[in-house]
Amino acid sequence: MRNKAELAEVRGVAVDPAALRAVGTVLLDTATKVRRVNLDVEADTVPAARAFDGWLSGGALDGLVRFWQLEFTATFDRLGALGNGAFEAASNYTAADQAAHTELTSVDPQYFRGR
Amino acid sequence: MTATVARLRHLNLAALEVAAHSWRRQAQQLAECEDAILREVVPPLEHAGWSGPAANDAKHKIGWLDDQLRVASSTARLIAHALEAAATRWRAIQNRLHQLFEDATQHGLLLDDDGIHLPAANPKFIHFEEYQAQRQQLATAAGLLRRRIHELLEAADRLDAEVAETLGRLQPASPGSDGDLVLEQRDVVADTRAVAVLAGYRQSDLPEHDGDPMRAAEWWRSVAPADRALLLQAFPQHLGSLDGLPADDRDVANRAHLDFCLIDGQGPNRDAAHRLREMLRAADGNRPGQMLLLGFDDAGDGQAVVAIGNPDRAAHTAVFVPGITNVLGNMGSQIDRANDLHHAADLMTPAAGDVSVIAWLGYDTPEKDGSAVGWERSRLGGLSLDSFVNGLNAAHEPSPSHVTAIGHSYGSTVVGEAARGGDGLAVGDIVVAGSPGMHAGDASQLHIDPRHVWAGHAGDDPVSGWLGNASGVHGREPHVLSFGANRFGTDTTGHGGYWQPGSLSLNNQAAIVVGNYSEVQLVHGMAPR
């Protein structure tokens, strides 16, 4: 069994899983906020686009809603993935710390690699 | 033509205003998201001890997302502004239409969604000449009103096209993908300018740089606060260097211009601009040593004006004018001197924030060539300095502060030019150190009580010593008795030592800056009481 200090030697660092979990929480909360903000703005802009139905401005407002929805959905997904990744990393490091039989090099979440 | 009377009459502009409000709220919330990542994600992640490829990727992605949120927040704010401007202009057109309809009603004309009509003729009177004449007058009035309505509909179509084009610019460049943020940021200035134009502001409407700073200050106060924020981003270079605007606002504009130059530029001053930005950021939040960028230009040798402490709120402000070979690349050394003087002066005042010291590289300094013995650079620099100081006074609330102009080396000729020309330089004191001359025969030519002119000279300083004396091209050295200025004591050596921390040379200048004249150690002269 390797203890925490020995694990730290493997990578030269001592990872704090609690800090990673706190970071994950902020990222997931931020993702939720981005999602809510986008839904609100969409709900408020669609009526304006309808009010200008037939005008060029109406089409432009439609475009704004559509493209920003795409953008914020992607942002929501990215923030969510990063938040979950932080939780996954925290969980892996905690497990490795407790079991102390896994090389730290194998506990990094795969999500981040090659993305 | 898209616009019709019916469409224009029934256009629901309140929906546009609700949307504008929503985008503004979104901008604020996105900024809060960005702030949360900056404060609650980045530092803890750095200290969590997490490293390796996955950690690096995560940190990189978080940094990218933070930038993304910042760009999205500023764009959402622009969208809100564009929608507000559009609603205002649409409402003006709609109101004019309603007014034309009221005019038509007063004439006894009939109105509906198709426009203006003549009432049906009364068959009983149709053969009377007087009635026919009245009908003719009514037809003429109807024709005139129809033409005005037609013009209004054309204006509505033009506005519609302008609004659509502006909103089209504010869509994300590549929605949903890992777009090029640099490209999007580059577009922000052009996009902001388009929104400003929609809101009725064009660069040609802004006050000119060679105008009266007092008028520029009045104009700025007349601009609605929300519009000011827009204009600072739309015309950062113009407003950042417009004398008379508040220091905080100039700082916002110049930092935006600096950022833009760093995104866009590949010029020789790129590294210097980058260093300047790092210095500014390092000082952010450091009151009273907060730095404000009051001027920035990356053209040529590059220029910058950096204030330590806010001059609009300071009781005492010093403007430090450097000499030859100073360029953007060595602005750091000027800022260091300003910092040292600020620190020394601030210790002499009762409260922090009483003093502001400005490193003013606001002119094209001579190189080590013939230009250093010429007067042209100092003449042009003097004009700029005069305007800058007038701007400080115009922006200071509630009344002008005590301003001191400090010229070092060739910078003292710039101060001299500014002081001896026109109605003088609007400062309370003039200080020169290592001066080869001020283009004046004596202190009385500087439009200021000679007791408020101060000169320092280190014994081994060649510029204010044998070199200045031998060349004589810049006039009499101001530290000599016959010049009529106060000569303050110095304990430093060489031409560049006058701002050495803890020195008598520096402390004497600091005492003058804060008006503590009795504390100034004099070699000759008479301090004001």
Side-chain angles (χ1 to χ4, degrees):
Chain A
M1 292 280 283
R2 296 182 188 210
N3 61 27
K4 196 170 182 177
E6 289 170 330
L7 282 167
E9 275 180 23
V10 176
R11 297 284 297 277
V13 292
V15 176
D16 178 4
L20 287 179
R21 278 195 292 274
V23 162
T25 302
V26 175
L27 288 168
L28 292 179
D29 286 350
T30 305
T32 307
K33 191 169 182 177
V34 166
R35 183 80 174 151
R36 193 176 61 240
V37 161
N38 187 43
L39 289 174
D40 286 350
V41 85
E42 186 180 336
D44 289 332
T45 310
V46 167
R50 287 201 188 120
F52 278 81
D53 191 26
W55 298 84
L56 296 174
S57 302
L61 282 163
D62 260 338
L64 270 189
V65 171
R66 202 152 19 93
F67 288 119
W68 278 102
Q69 186 188 46
L70 279 174
E71 183 76 351
F72 283 115
T73 300
T75 305
F76 169 79
D77 289 344
R78 290 184 187 114
L79 282 164
L82 282 167
N84 289 329
F87 271 104
E88 190 188 344
S91 166
N92 288 346
Y93 278 106
T94 304
D97 193 14
Q98 287 168 351
H101 58 69
T102 309
E103 287 295 325
L104 273 178
T105 46
S106 69
V107 300
D108 269 354
Q110 292 301 307
Y111 163 73
F112 302 110
R113 296 199 184 132
R115 294 282 295 250
Chain B
M1 184 182 285
T2 304
T4 64
V5 168
R7 281 178 150 173
L8 194 54
R9 275 182 87 187
H10 303 298
L11 207 47
N12 176 13
L13 296 177
L16 207 55
E17 287 160 342
V18 168
H21 183 70
S22 189
W23 281 95
R24 194 167 286 286
R25 198 172 57 237
Q26 164 162 291
Q28 177 59 32
Q29 290 177 333
L30 290 171
E32 287 168 10
C33 287
E34 191 228 343
D35 189 51
I37 289 179
L38 268 185
R39 283 187 303 106
E40 299 172 42
V41 172
V42 175
L45 211 53
E46 288 299 324
H47 299 115
W50 189 29
S51 63
N56 290 341
D57 279 355
K59 288 171 189 171
H60 174 74
K61 283 187 169 72
I62 286 167
W64 188 89
L65 268 171
D66 188 65
D67 285 345
Q68 179 83 348
L69 287 169
R70 184 166 41 77
V71 172
S73 171
S74 62
T75 310
R77 196 169 293 111
L78 280 183
I79 291 170
H81 219 113
L83 295 178
E84 285 161 2
T88 302
R89 288 181 60 185
W90 277 114
R91 200 173 290 290
I93 289 178
Q94 204 177 44
N95 287 344
R96 287 217 298 277
L97 181 69
H98 292 153
Q99 184 61 50
L100 287 176
F101 268 41
E102 273 185 32
D103 292 351
T105 307
Q106 282 176 2
H107 278 91
L109 294 165
L110 301 177
L111 315 165
D112 61 23
D113 280 349
D114 292 327
I116 291 171
H117 312 281
L118 262 66
N122 189 330
K124 283 186 192 171
F125 307 122
I126 202 160
H127 298 298
F128 291 99
E129 278 187 17
E130 195 177 336
Y131 183 74
Q132 286 172 359
Q134 282 176 354
R135 292 281 299 174
Q136 187 55 46
Q137 277 182 351
L138 207 54
T140 305
L144 188 66
L145 288 168
R146 281 194 199 106
R147 267 205 303 282
R148 286 188 180 160
I149 287 175
H150 183 76
E151 287 166 4
L152 214 49
L153 295 179
E154 285 180 335
D157 268 348
R158 285 196 299 274
L159 176 59
D160 184 37
E162 190 182 344
V163 170
E165 189 191 342
T166 306
L167 293 180
R169 298 182 68 107
L170 302 175
Q171 292 173 359
S174 47
S177 69
D178 296 351
D180 185 345
L181 279 174
V182 170
L183 276 177
E184 292 193 21
Q185 284 174 309
R186 180 178 296 152
D187 285 345
V188 163
V189 174
D191 295 347
T192 311
R193 198 160 290 188
V195 175
V197 169
L198 185 64
Y201 296 98
R202 292 174 189 280
Q203 181 146 9
S204 55
D205 299 332
L206 307 179
E208 296 290 340
H209 285 116
D210 55 1
D212 180 358
M214 194 65 84
R215 288 202 170 178
E218 283 169 12
W219 168 77
W220 190 243
R221 281 192 282 269
S222 74
V223 176
D227 287 352
R228 286 184 209 156
L230 176 71
L231 293 181
L232 291 173
Q233 299 297 329
F235 308 106
Q237 189 172 14
H238 188 96
L239 296 179
S241 53
L242 188 59
D243 295 326
L245 263 59
D248 282 331
D249 292 331
R250 289 180 74 156
D251 180 56
V252 169
N254 284 311
R255 288 192 195 218
H257 180 47
L258 172 60
D259 285 345
F260 181 70
C261 289
L262 281 172
I263 291 167
D264 210 42
Q266 298 293 331
N269 291 314
R270 188 178 164 80
D271 288 347
H274 187 74
R275 284 198 302 277
L276 178 61
R277 184 165 74 174
E278 292 307 305
M279 275 187 274
L280 292 166
R281 285 182 175 175
D284 281 347
N286 173 27
R287 293 176 188 277
Q290 168 203 20
M291 282 190 202
L292 297 163
L293 187 58
L294 304 185
F296 174 76
D297 186 356
D298 72 337
D301 292 336
Q303 296 182 6
V305 180
V306 175
I308 316 296
N310 189 321
D312 292 350
R313 293 193 279 275
H316 306 280
T317 296
V319 183
F320 179 81
V321 184
I324 66 167
T325 70
N326 279 292
V327 294
L328 192 63
N330 62 355
M331 188 66 194
S333 63
Q334 300 309 317
I335 292 175
D336 286 346
R337 284 176 176 172
N339 257 321
D340 291 336
L341 180 58
H342 179 266
H343 181 69
D346 208 35
L347 288 175
M348 298 179 182
T349 60
D354 280 349
V355 179
S356 172
V357 178
I358 299 169
W360 189 82
L361 181 59
Y363 79 110
D364 185 15
T365 62
E367 293 76 37
K368 276 185 178 167
D369 57 17
S371 59
V373 294
W375 286 27
E376 186 60 10
R377 303 282 181 101
S378 45
R379 193 184 64 77
L380 293 173
L383 291 172
S384 298
L385 178 64
D386 187 42
S387 173
F388 179 76
V389 170
N390 287 340
L392 285 180
N393 289 324
H396 195 273
E397 298 286 351
S399 57
S401 63
H402 170 231
V403 179
T404 302
I406 301 178
H408 176 227
S409 192
Y410 190 88
S412 65
T413 69
V414 175
V415 174
E417 283 288 336
R420 76 188 188 97
D423 57 354
L425 186 59
V427 295
D429 285 281
I430 289 174
V431 176
V432 294
S435 171
M438 297 180 74
H439 299 178
D442 60 58
S444 68
Q445 294 176 8
L446 299 176
H447 291 106
I448 189 172
D449 180 344
R451 291 176 303 168
H452 287 276
V453 180
W454 314 75
H457 165 67
D460 61 346
D461 182 345
V463 177
S464 49
W466 65 267
L467 190 59
N469 203 339
S471 69
V473 292
H474 294 301
R476 187 176 292 163
E477 296 90 331
H479 68 274
V480 300
L481 187 62
S482 57
F483 190 80
N486 296 323
R487 179 176 173 184
F488 62 88
T490 58
D491 61 348
T492 49
T493 57
H495 184 56
Y498 297 101
W499 295 274
Q500 193 177 310
S503 67
L504 176 69
S505 307
L506 178 65
N507 287 335
N508 275 337
Q509 293 178 71
I512 297 163
V513 166
V514 300
N516 240 350
Y517 305 127
S518 61
E519 297 297 315
V520 182
Q521 190 186 97
L522 289 177
V523 177
H524 63 242
M526 181 189 293
R529 297 188 176 191

